[in-house]
Structure formats: C-alpha cells, structure tokens
Amino acid sequence: MIKALIFLSVILFVFFLFFFSSKFKRKTMALSLSILIIVMSVLILALFLLENNSEEKLYNPPKFDGEKVIPGFFDEKN
C-alpha cells in the first residue's frame, strides 16, 4: 500500500512540474527532473530487486464441533 502511495505522489509531482514549468527557470527544471529520474529509478529498482521473504502460510478457520469452538491456526507450507 505504501508503494502505491509513493508512486502516486511522484506522479502528482511530475504533473505539477510540467504544469508550472513555464514559471521555472531552465536550471531549476533540469535539476528537479534529474532528481525525479533518480528517485523513480531507485524506486523501480527496489520494487524489482527486493525479494518477498514471507513464507506461504495457509489459514485454517475456526470450527464448531457442536459443543465448543476449535480455534483457527496458521499452517506453514514447506
């Protein structure tokens, strides 16, 4: 969820830069675009290079056997 928030904020920043680009000087625009390109490349590399280390777990829901409730539990798949 946080990745989507960061991605959307960067996209809004890009639209802001292009919308108001006529008011900025050429050096300021080049600097901001280079910073933006660096940030986007780091985010894309992090998205692809970071591994998902979470183990696959199966959830067994709680069951009612007629007298008492048997609680649910996670079963790790190996």
Side-chain angles (χ1 to χ4, degrees):
M1 185 70 177
I2 192 74
K3 290 179 190 177
L5 181 65
I6 291 171
F7 186 71
L8 287 175
S9 63
V10 169
I11 287 177
L12 287 175
F13 182 69
V14 169
F15 285 134
F16 174 76
L17 281 179
F18 285 123
F19 186 70
F20 293 111
S21 64
S22 62
K23 296 180 183 179
F24 293 139
K25 293 182 181 178
R26 189 163 187 86
K27 280 186 176 181
T28 307
M29 196 63 184
L31 179 66
S32 62
L33 284 177
S34 63
I35 290 172
L36 182 68
I37 289 171
I38 290 170
V39 168
M40 286 296 289
S41 63
V42 167
L43 287 175
I44 290 172
L45 282 174
L47 180 70
F48 288 120
L49 294 179
L50 292 177
E51 295 179 16
N52 187 4
N53 291 333
S54 64
E55 296 177 6
E56 192 172 332
K57 296 182 180 180
L58 300 174
Y59 179 67
N60 295 320
K63 297 178 184 174
F64 182 67
D65 68 352
E67 295 181 13
K68 62 180 182 175
V69 175
I70 302 170
F73 60 94
F74 285 97
D75 187 23
E76 294 182 6
K77 184 178 182 182
N78 288 329

